[in-house]
Amino acid sequence: MDSKLFSTYRKKLNKTQKQMAQLLGTSIKAIHSYEQGWRSIPVHVERQLYFLLTQKLCTGNGDGPCWTQRHCEPEQRELCPAWEFNGGEHCWFINGTICDGVVHNSWKEKMELCHTCSVFKAILKKIDAHPY
């Protein structure tokens, strides 16, 4: 996530930099640094920001869990943490999911795949369509 997208998403949440710092458990100076591009956005901050966006802007999306949308086989479902924890609408948030049959070693690697996935793309489309 780059600084411009971070700033855009903060505005979509209708939060000041101070409020965003409180929500993310960081300092206002860190928020300034993220938005100015002086500091890269840590993965835990990116993850939390996506979570807040989906909770506020994507509730009741009715698309169903990821395993239904992606037509995962029962054997794959049973091995996947998204299935185990009934997190099919937040699969992108859960580490260790086995999308495309592979467990990803890092958040960055996982998100690279998520950005190509129809489930996550639909979420981003809803977030991007929301005015601020």
Side-chain angles (χ1 to χ4, degrees), residues 30 42 50 67 71 87 106:
Y50 278 129
W67 53 82
H71 310 289
S106 69

Side-chain angles (χ1 to χ4, degrees), residues 88-102:
E89 297 196 8
H90 293 98
C91 51
W92 53 269
F93 186 78
I94 302 169
N95 285 334
T97 56
I98 54 170
C99 302
D100 292 345
V102 178

Side-chain angles (χ1 to χ4, degrees), residues 1-3 6 24-27 29-31 33-35 38-50 107-108 111:
M1 176 178 296
D2 64 20
S3 59
F6 182 90
L24 296 174
T26 191
S27 69
K29 186 173 182 173
I31 301 299
S33 295
Y34 302 153
E35 292 191 3
W38 299 330
R39 200 191 288 184
S40 62
I41 298 149
V43 295
H44 68 279
V45 169
E46 177 183 7
R47 187 175 178 192
Q48 184 70 13
L49 182 55
Y50 278 129
W107 171 258
K108 182 179 179 185
M111 288 311 292

Side-chain angles (χ1 to χ4, degrees), residues 8-14 53-59 122-132:
T8 298
Y9 284 170
R10 176 182 59 79
K11 291 171 185 171
K12 283 184 182 280
L13 289 172
N14 197 28
L53 287 160
T54 59
Q55 291 302 106
K56 185 168 184 175
L57 306 178
C58 298
T59 56
I123 290 168
L124 291 178
K125 187 175 180 179
K126 290 174 187 177
I127 291 169
D128 292 341
H130 195 276
Y132 62 90

